[in-house]
Structures are given as C-alpha cells and as structure tokens.
Amino acid sequence: MKGAILKSTQEPLVLEEAKFENQNIDYVEVKLYSAALNHRDLWITKGQYAGIKFPIILGSDGCGHFKGEDVVLNPSLEWGPDERVQGPSYQVLGLPTHGTFAESIWIHPDQLFPKPPHLNNLEAAALPLAGLTAYRVLFSRCGLTPGKKVLVTGAGGGVALFAIQFALAIGSEVWVTSGSNEKLEKVKAMGAAGGVNYRNAGWDQQLKVLTGGFDIIIDSAAGDSFAALIGLCRPGAAIGLYGGTLGKMNQLVPQVLFWKQISIHGSTMGTAREFAAMLELVAKYQIHPVIDSVFSLEEVNQALKRMEEGSQFGKIVLKIAD
Ligand SMILES: NC(=O)c1ccc[n+]([C@@H]2O[C@H](COP(=O)([O-])OP(=O)(O)OC[C@H]3O[C@@H](n4cnc5c(N)ncnc54)[C@H](OP(=O)(O)O)[C@@H]3O)[C@@H](O)[C@H]2O)c1
C-alpha cells in the first residue's frame, strides 16, 4: 500500500510503500478511490499544528470501497458521549492516526457511511471534514433556520463554500466576503445575494449599507477584522467561529457585544450524528461540492502548493483509483 508520508515538517511528502501496522484489532481496511485536502494538512506540513508526529500519512477526507459498498469516511474520531463538546480522546483522522493520502486506510467501521448516491467519487471525497464543520457551525451552534440573513467570510475556502451551499439550500439570504473579486462573482453565480472584497478599505461599512446587518455570521479568519463582524451583527445575532487564520482578535468592543445580545460560538468538526445529518442534507438538496482541482496521489505536493497559494475556489481533491 502506497501512502504520502510526512517525515519532517517543511519537507515535501514522500510517496512510498507504507508498512504501518494495523493500529487496532477492530479496524478494517478500506480501499480508497479519492481523498481531499484541508487547510489542516498544510498547517501540519508547516509545523503549525499541535501533536505532530513522524512518520505520518496525512489526509482527513476520503471516499472508498468496503464490502461491496462505496463509502465516505467520517474524520471525527472518538467524539465521546457529550454532543456539546468532544471528549479527551477526540482526534481528527490524519494525525495522530494515519490518514487518507494513501491507496488504502485502516479505520474503525463505525466511521464508514454510505456515499450519497448523486455524488461521484471525487465529489464524495470533498465532503467529509469541511461539510461536517460547516454543518455543525451553521445548524447546531448558530441555529440556522430558513429565512435568516447570513454572512460567510472568506468565500473561496472549503468549509466556507459548504456553509454557503447549505444556507442557500434551506432558503437563507447569503452574503459573502472574499479576497478575490473573481471568487465573489462565482459565489453570486451560485445564488449568493452579493459580497464585498475584504481587501478593500471600508468593506464592512460597505456591507452594512448593502444589507443592514446579519442574523448569523460564519468566520474562520478571526484576527483584527473580527471586530468588524461584531459591527455587522443585528441585535441577537450569532457568530460561528471555526478557524483562526489571522490570529488573535483585538479591539472587540464589549459594550456592543452585550448591548446587542450577541453570541459567539466556537465550533470544531462535529459528532457522528451530525455527520449523518450532513450527508442527509446533501442528498436531500442534491448538493454537489465545489471542486477546485484534481491531482493524482503522486502529485500531492503540487496539490498542497495550490492550497498554500490560496487561489483555490473549493476543494482540492486527490484521485487515487478508479
Ligand atoms: N475547527 C475546525 O473544525 C476546522 C475545520 C476546518 C477548517 N478549520 C480552519 O478554518 C480555516 C479555513 O480552512 P479551509 O480548509 O476551509 O481552508 P481553505 O480551503 O484553504 O481556504 C482558506 C480560506 O481562508 C480565507 N481567508 C484567507 N484570508 C482571509 C481574510 N483575511 N479574511 C477572511 N477570510 C480569509 C479564504 O477566503 P478567500 O479565498 O475567499 O479570500 C478561504 O476561505 C483554517 O484556519 C482551518 O484551520 C477549522
């Protein structure tokens, strides 16, 4: 079985025969058709992630074949009994356990879910981690219901695009930000009401004038621009935060937070129940993940480079087998 192995940070992954032992007697071997990248994989290769170990096969997203059925892999491992928060044994597939950038994977059968029939193998691999994260932050944490006005920041990203697709599917008015005008146009073509470029000075005021503010804001950038999101909240609004790309959030004005009764919900991945619910939503509304590009397993380092450049729109997928 060949796998793309990280042997040290700041080094390319090495595709070679992997002779790792089955990690658990309950695990089964799943032949993989496809995998997909998440920003997490890039953070790990750069050494910017907790608990890195070597050697490790990266990759949290996968679609494969097990006992005559096409399956997708739930990358949330050992969530634990409390729906509100993951327990101490919680892990994400692809560190510390070996991940999906490989011809096959050993995994607990409870992590396998039937592939939504309307998706091809590449689309199905694009779904798990980003789809699950978007589902939990939107529905479980921020309580999205039809008719709410939603802002999704950084529209070109994997999770962000699922958040946009899910919110549009149930009938929300969706606005976005992006660092690229081209991406803004693409999201509008998908049905978003509009958007602004976060690189333009005064982007938040521009959005305020256009929309009057939002009931729900979904963000993974954080940093100093987070304070502007507070200003874009309608009274009683919820902000769902699932990433910290720009680092610490300074200049928050507490009076605005409490006077407008704003809730900020941190969110990470999701439970097995949410994974099943996400697949159901995707099947119900016949949602197709947005795929930016497809690389072979041999081209995994080019795929990581594409993510690092940040010009992608949607998921970067690895085709492993037919
Ligand atoms: N907590 C969790 O469970 C979880 C799960 C998945 C991801 N994450 C985190 O969420 C972030 C995105 O992950 P991903 O895999 O979706 O990434 P990705 O596909 O590589 O996309 C990167 C995203 O960052 C956005 N971005 C970059 N600079 C920005 C800025 N100044 N303001 C607003 N957005 C900005 C990009 O927006 P444009 O391209 O439109 O400019 C794009 O949406 C990462 O920090 C990742 O670690 C967390």
Side-chain angles (χ1 to χ4, degrees):
M1 182 272 280
K2 276 195 185 138
I5 302 170
L6 180 73
K7 297 186 171 184
S8 148
T9 56
Q10 311 293 351
E11 294 286 333
L13 305 187
V14 182
L15 187 67
E16 61 182 36
E17 204 61 34
K19 296 194 185 70
F20 303 130
E21 287 170 14
N22 179 5
Q23 295 159 3
N24 183 314
I25 52 161
D26 297 327
Y27 283 15
V28 295
E29 188 178 25
V30 176
K31 299 280 178 203
L32 291 166
Y33 295 129
S34 45
L37 275 66
N38 290 285
H39 217 95
R40 174 182 198 267
D41 305 306
L42 189 61
W43 295 133
I44 295 169
T45 62
K46 290 173 166 298
Q48 295 170 357
Y49 206 89
I52 298 177
K53 63 159 208 176
F54 310 106
I56 179 82
I57 298 177
L58 296 183
S60 307
D61 283 333
C63 165
H65 192 76
F66 180 65
K67 283 193 173 165
E69 196 181 2
D70 290 345
V71 291
V72 288
L73 280 55
N74 173 9
S76 243
L77 310 178
E78 314 265 355
W79 181 275
D82 190 346
E83 286 264 325
R84 293 173 312 148
V85 65
Q86 69 273 32
S89 306
Y90 182 72
Q91 295 174 3
V92 180
L93 182 64
L95 182 78
T97 55
H98 295 298
T100 55
F101 297 172
E103 291 170 336
S104 68
I105 185 169
W106 287 90
I107 190 163
H108 197 286
D110 286 354
Q111 302 301 126
L112 306 179
F113 288 72
K115 176 173 80 76
H118 71 291
L119 300 183
N120 65 37
N121 295 342
L122 300 175
E123 291 171 326
L127 192 54
L129 188 148
L132 176 62
T133 305
Y135 184 91
R136 179 174 172 88
V137 71
L138 268 179
F139 296 103
S140 309
R141 303 293 283 142
C142 291
L144 178 67
T145 48
K148 294 221 168 128
K149 201 184 267 192
V150 178
L151 172 66
V152 179
T153 67
V159 181
L161 272 165
F162 281 118
I164 292 164
Q165 287 180 296
F166 295 170
L168 284 172
I170 71 151
S172 316
E173 180 180 327
V174 180
W175 291 75
V176 298
T177 70
S178 176
S180 150
N181 292 341
E182 202 186 326
K183 291 183 189 181
L184 289 174
E185 288 310 313
K186 286 182 180 171
V187 183
K188 276 194 251 172
M190 289 166 61
V196 300
N197 190 322
Y198 58 68
R199 296 187 200 282
N200 294 344
W203 62 269
D204 53 326
Q205 286 314 312
Q206 206 184 331
L207 257 185
K208 186 86 180 260
V209 171
L210 283 168
T211 67
F214 300 94
D215 304 303
I216 292 177
I217 299 179
I218 303 297
D219 182 58
S220 70
D224 286 344
S225 56
F226 195 83
L229 300 184
I230 305 290
L232 285 169
C233 282
R234 281 175 164 175
I239 303 181
L241 179 71
Y242 64 89
T245 301
L246 300 181
K248 287 186 180 161
M249 307 179 291
N250 299 307
Q251 284 145 26
L252 294 185
V253 182
Q255 289 80 358
V256 184
L257 267 173
F258 68 69
W259 189 251
K260 289 211 274 181
Q261 313 267 0
I262 293 166
S263 307
I264 301 176
H265 300 283
S267 193
T268 281
M269 302 288 288
T271 64
R273 185 193 60 74
E274 287 164 327
F275 191 77
M278 181 274 290
L279 293 179
E280 218 172 278
L281 180 92
V282 166
K284 179 177 176 189
Y285 292 101
Q286 298 282 293
I287 293 169
H288 288 268
V290 179
I291 300 210
D292 169 77
S293 46
V294 180
F295 294 84
S296 67
L297 187 56
E298 287 73 18
E299 295 168 327
V300 62
N301 292 305
Q302 285 157 256
L304 282 164
K305 191 159 177 286
R306 170 128 187 109
M307 175 163 273
E308 188 167 16
E309 286 163 3
S311 51
Q312 79 273 18
F313 182 78
K315 295 293 291 184
I316 300 167
V317 175
L318 300 177
K319 182 175 179 186
I320 299 170
D322 286 319

